[in-house]
Structure formats: C-alpha cells, structure tokens
Amino acid sequence: MHTQSSSDLNVLQQKLNKATAMNRELDAIIESSYDVIYITDVNGVTLKTNSAIERITGIPKEYYIGKNVDALMKRGILKDSVTQRVLEKKRAVSTIQYNYSGKETLITGNPVFNEQGEVEKVVTNIRDLSELNELQAALRKANELNHSYKMEIERLKSQSSNESDIILRSPQMKRIYEMAHRIADVDATVLILGETGVGKDVLAKYVHSKSTRSKEGKFIKVNCGAIPPDLLESELFGYERGAFTGANSKGKPGMFELADNGILFLDEIGELPLALQVKLLRTLQEKEIRRVGGTASKKINVRIIAATNRNLKEMVTKGEFREDLYYRLNVVPIVIPSLKERKEDIFPLLHLFLEMVNEKYGTRKTIDNSLHDFFHSYHWPGNVRELANLIERLTLMSKSDILSIRDLPGEYTEYTSEEEISSDMTLKEVVEMAEKRALLQAVKTYKSTYEIAQALDTSQPTIVRKLQKYDIKPGDPT
C-alpha cells in the first residue's frame, strides 16, 4: 500500500514538473511577442499579459493582473475592449482604436472554448500601428524620393544624349553654345537665325535642357510654316468647344498651354501671318492667352524661342513682318553659320552620322579618302541636315562596305573635279567617274536615251543600263 502511494506520488510529481515546464514555456512565448497578448476569463478579469503592454500604455504588466477590463475602461486606461463583444458573438472580433496616449492600435479578440463549447477565456492581441504607419510613411517618402531621382537621372541621360549629338569643333559654334548655356535660365526671348538645316532646333533644345524649365515644363515645337494659316491660331492658342465646325466637343488646349512653365519653340516664325503676329505680340506682352471662341483669358508662364531662315529685318521693311514683334523677339539674337563656313565641323559630324546609321541598320560602312575629300570641298546648301541625309542614303544604297566617291548620287557628281581623284583610286573607279560625268552632261543636253546613245556612240540599251547603274534619270535637271 505504501509502495502504491509512493508510485502515485511520483506520477503526480512528474505531471507537475511537466505542467510547470509547459507553463514556463508558455510564459516565455507570450513574453517574447512584440504585440500585446492579453488574456481574460469569462468575466473579463485579467489572467495574464506580457511586457509589451507597458510599451503601449506606459503601465507595468503586473498592474493589470486580477483587474477587470470594465474597471480599466472606467479609469481611462483602456478606451474600449473587445472582450464583451467576443463573449456576445462567440467569435473573433477586430477593431482599430486610439488608446489614451493617442497611439493607433489594432485590437483582435479570439474566444477560447471549453469542452461544452462555451467561452471560458478571451485572448486579445493588441498591435501598435503607429510605428507601422511611420514606417509606411517613411517608405512612401523614400519611394517618392526614389522616383524624383529616377526622373532627374532620365532628364540628365536625355540631356547627355542630346549633347552627344552636338559637334563643337569650330570656334563659331563653341561661342554660340557657350552663350546659349549662359542665357539658359534668363527668360529673355531668343531669336535663332540661320539657313535651313544648320541645327536651329538642336540649339533650342539645348537651351531647354540647360534651363530649370526642363524640370518644370515641356519643350514644345511648332513649325509655323507647316500648319495651314486658318488652323495655326487654334493650334497655338487652343479653342473652346463649338468654336468652329469639326472642333472637338470638349475644346482643346493650344501649344502655349502645353508649354506652360516650359519653352515654346516657334520654328519658321517668318511664315506667321500678320493677323497672328498681332495676337502673338499681345500674348508676349500680357503673358496670357485666350482660346479661339473663348471669352476668358488665362495666365501662362512660357519662354519663347523663335527661329527662321528668312531676313526678318527685310520683311519688316517690306511690311511683311511687324516691327514691334520683331524687336520683341530679337532680344537675344543668335546666328548659326552655315556648314560651309565651319568646315572644322564636317568630319566630326560625318563620323557621328555614320556611326548612328551603322547602329540603326546594323551595317559596318566606312568612308574612303576620295569621299572624305568630296565632303570637305562640297558647299552643302542643305547644311547639317543634307549631310546626315546623304550619309544615310549612301549607307542604304551602296553594296560595298567602303563608301567612295563613285557611290554618290547623280546630282552630286557634277561637283566632283579632276583634282578630287585620289592616288588610291583604281583605274576602274576613275573610268566610272568620267563615265558618270559624261552621262550627267548628256541628260542635260538630250531629251531621250536614243539621242544620248547616238551622241556617245553606243547602243540605247547600254545607255539605259548605265543610267540605272549611276542612278541618273533622263531629263535630270541637275
């Protein structure tokens, strides 16, 4: 009997030790939680909580043990309790509330059921959302900052890309771009003068890229000579709904509005009709626009850069351009010299365009000495635009990877001279050059391939084949 009692006592002791260990483990788990864990019985009396409650409320956890949640609410320590709602609904209940110290908390109560399915305890989890909200705000701010950095990087990359297309070897162009850099953030109107194709729009974009306006507004280009006069006003100033037949039912903003806080580039300003010159002058003076068909004016903050290949001063004398508008635009005049006046830029531009075209079409074209000589001596009436166009044309038309003077289209051959025949040209190349010149002269003199064949003492099929070879058309005016 004594032995049996001793055995039972050992079993009980083992169970007690095991229960004590489990309680210790449970206490450690509850205590290690960053969130508040708050356990009450069915009457709302606090059985257990952890130290996290002190971080949120500032009151030691020992204070809560044995206290009823109703009494805690009456004393203002708890603003609300989910315990009663869990007991009533017998399911989990969540709520977001601010505690007495002003911290936003997420409170979730979960019921614990006994064997009869009745609620015997309520385990409440309280999470401090203020720190999470601060982290979210910091993350949002970091993302916004990251976005602004990305935008700035893209702007700088675009700016760098634009500058990589600018060749500044000649002293004239270096001075022009140095001045453009100085006036980038001066809101004075700029008038860019120069022949067609010299790069007036490239300079205008450069001014925009170097100005603070590039961060605040867009660069909007309008070609005043490419838009019909009757549409140009609505294109520049926009229109209200129903302003004219075919107008957008909601109206449409004009280029001035689109360029707000940025730069409006008015290319070919010399083509602007006189009636619109008056409205443009008023806009520049009053810094506000009025849409076509509208009655209200709108303030705008736009910097104007104008460009033309025409002699505006002469147009003023002839009454074709308003004198007051001319002086309003001519605040900072910049004259870009033609390509033939800055030959130092020809070879760098030539190789830049060749590199761009090779990359565009996946080719590996190079240029021989004879073609180099031609590019340097040619007078380039179409300026930089003509040079870029010719490089692309030669790259696409020539079968050889080495471009030479014999690959030039027919209209350019008359500009080549005997002095341009280089020592490294083969006899065949020299013969082809002479043959091409003879055909160019013949098509100017004779009206048909039969007459050309008779004059050059050869057959008509031969003439047709040779004209196709050198890309010369009968009756070619060049």
Side-chain angles (χ1 to χ4, degrees):
M1 186 73 179
H2 178 74
T3 305
Q4 181 66 36
S5 298
S6 178
S7 176
D8 291 342
L9 187 61
N10 288 335
V11 171
L12 289 172
Q13 185 65 45
Q14 289 176 4
K15 287 183 178 180
L16 178 61
N17 291 340
K18 188 175 182 181
T20 302
M22 288 181 64
N23 281 332
R24 190 164 53 246
E25 184 178 347
L26 180 61
D27 286 341
I29 292 172
I30 293 174
E31 188 63 27
S32 66
S33 173
Y34 186 77
D35 294 341
V36 173
I37 296 177
Y38 195 91
I39 304 173
T40 65
D41 63 15
V42 70
N43 298 313
V45 176
T46 307
L47 301 175
K48 189 182 291 290
T49 187
N50 60 357
S51 297
I53 199 167
E54 185 174 347
R55 188 183 73 251
I56 293 179
T57 66
I59 300 174
K61 68 176 184 176
E62 289 77 15
Y63 175 82
Y64 294 90
I65 307 303
K67 301 287 194 308
N68 194 292
V69 291
D70 291 336
L72 293 172
M73 287 170 58
K74 287 178 182 177
R75 296 189 63 179
I77 295 172
L78 295 180
K79 278 200 170 184
D80 192 11
S81 172
V82 298
T83 303
Q84 292 302 326
R85 278 183 279 172
V86 171
L87 292 170
E88 291 169 6
K89 298 182 178 182
K90 295 185 178 182
R91 63 174 175 81
V93 176
S94 292
T95 183
I96 293 178
Q97 62 180 247
Y98 290 89
N99 65 11
Y100 79 100
S101 61
K103 291 184 177 180
E104 186 179 19
T105 56
L106 170 64
I107 303 176
T108 303
N110 288 281
V112 177
F113 299 98
N114 60 20
E115 293 178 356
Q116 288 74 39
E118 298 172 342
V119 178
E120 65 175 7
K121 291 183 179 66
V122 176
V123 178
T124 301
N125 182 280
I126 304 174
R127 174 165 293 181
D128 185 359
L129 296 181
S130 58
E131 293 182 6
L132 182 61
N133 291 338
E134 288 172 6
L135 287 173
Q136 287 179 330
L139 179 61
R140 185 165 55 250
K141 186 175 181 181
N143 285 335
E144 290 173 355
L145 193 60
N146 186 41
H147 178 69
S148 67
Y149 285 156
K150 282 184 178 179
M151 294 292 289
E152 182 66 11
I153 289 169
E154 288 301 318
R155 188 184 73 83
L156 292 173
K157 282 169 65 179
S158 173
Q159 182 174 312
S160 175
S161 175
N162 290 338
E163 290 183 26
S164 68
D165 297 341
I166 299 171
I167 298 298
L168 303 175
R169 297 290 187 275
S170 62
Q172 306 102 301
M173 293 303 291
K174 287 180 180 178
R175 284 195 296 270
I176 286 171
Y177 274 83
E178 284 171 3
M179 181 172 67
H181 193 285
R182 287 198 305 273
I183 60 142
D185 276 330
V186 179
D187 272 350
T189 304
V190 178
L191 179 61
I192 305 175
L193 304 169
E195 296 177 3
T196 299
V198 293
K200 297 187 287 293
D201 56 340
V202 175
L203 180 60
K205 289 176 183 175
Y206 177 83
V207 172
H208 177 258
S209 72
K210 292 297 181 184
S211 71
T212 54
R213 285 182 176 268
S214 64
K215 299 178 183 178
E216 302 165 1
K218 297 179 181 179
F219 177 87
I220 302 293
K221 176 181 176 180
V222 180
N223 189 322
C224 300
I227 302 173
D230 54 337
L231 296 179
L232 188 55
E233 182 179 8
S234 61
E235 194 71 19
L236 284 172
F237 300 98
Y239 59 82
E240 297 292 352
R241 62 179 182 175
F244 50 84
T245 304
N248 189 302
S249 59
K250 296 180 180 179
K252 182 182 176 184
M255 296 302 183
F256 270 98
E257 290 179 71
L258 295 178
D260 198 22
N261 295 320
I263 288 178
L264 180 62
F265 177 47
L266 299 176
D267 199 11
E268 296 190 31
I269 190 69
E271 308 302 322
L272 196 68
L274 280 168
L276 275 185
Q277 291 179 27
V278 176
K279 190 165 183 177
L280 175 60
L281 179 63
R282 189 184 309 118
T283 299
L284 294 178
Q285 290 172 336
E286 300 173 4
K287 298 188 183 300
E288 59 182 28
I289 58 106
R290 180 180 297 174
R291 289 186 179 185
V292 175
T295 55
S297 296
K298 178 181 179 180
K299 286 288 182 182
I300 53 162
N301 175 23
V302 175
R303 183 181 186 184
I304 297 294
I305 298 180
T308 183
N309 60 354
R310 300 184 64 179
N311 189 330
L312 290 186
K313 206 163 189 179
E314 188 177 301
M315 291 179 67
V316 169
T317 304
K318 294 179 180 179
E320 298 172 350
F321 200 88
R322 290 185 63 93
E323 185 175 18
D324 45 7
L325 178 58
Y326 169 72
Y327 286 113
R328 172 69 69 169
L329 295 173
N330 197 42
V331 178
V332 182
I334 299 177
V335 181
I336 302 181
S338 62
L339 191 55
K340 66 183 177 183
E341 297 175 276
R342 46 185 174 106
K343 287 187 176 289
E344 301 97 324
D345 293 334
I346 291 177
F347 286 161
L349 284 168
L350 165 64
H351 291 288
L352 170 67
F353 294 143
L354 185 61
E355 181 182 338
M356 292 169 65
V357 170
N358 276 331
E359 184 177 347
K360 180 179 179 181
Y361 297 109
T363 53
R364 295 183 178 180
K365 304 287 183 177
T366 58
I367 295 175
D368 73 1
N369 291 337
S370 65
L371 192 56
H372 259 112
D373 294 341
F374 166 78
F375 278 116
H376 191 264
S377 61
Y378 184 59
H379 63 287
W380 300 110
N383 293 291
V384 179
R385 188 179 296 130
E386 182 183 7
L387 174 59
N389 178 271
L390 181 56
I391 291 294
E392 186 166 11
R393 186 175 175 185
L394 289 172
T395 300
L396 293 174
M397 298 301 293
S398 175
K399 296 178 181 178
S400 173
D401 282 342
I402 302 175
L403 304 177
S404 71
I405 200 167
R406 66 178 180 273
D407 295 309
L408 286 170
E411 62 266 30
Y412 288 94
T413 309
E414 65 176 297
Y415 297 104
T416 60
S417 63
E418 296 299 330
E419 289 75 18
E420 289 165 356
I421 298 176
S422 61
S423 58
D424 61 350
M425 291 179 67
T426 64
L427 180 60
K428 180 183 177 183
E429 290 172 342
V430 174
V431 170
E432 286 178 341
M433 186 184 295
E435 195 172 59
K436 195 172 182 179
R437 286 178 182 153
L439 287 169
L440 278 167
Q441 291 299 321
V443 295
K444 293 178 183 178
T445 308
Y446 304 103
K447 296 180 180 179
S448 69
T449 54
Y450 293 98
E451 292 181 10
I452 295 172
Q454 186 176 4
L456 297 180
D457 194 22
T458 187
S459 66
Q460 189 266 349
T462 299
I463 291 298
V464 172
R465 182 169 50 82
K466 296 286 187 182
L467 290 175
Q468 291 175 342
K469 176 182 177 181
Y470 299 118
D471 191 24
I472 303 172
K473 296 178 178 60
D476 194 328
T478 58

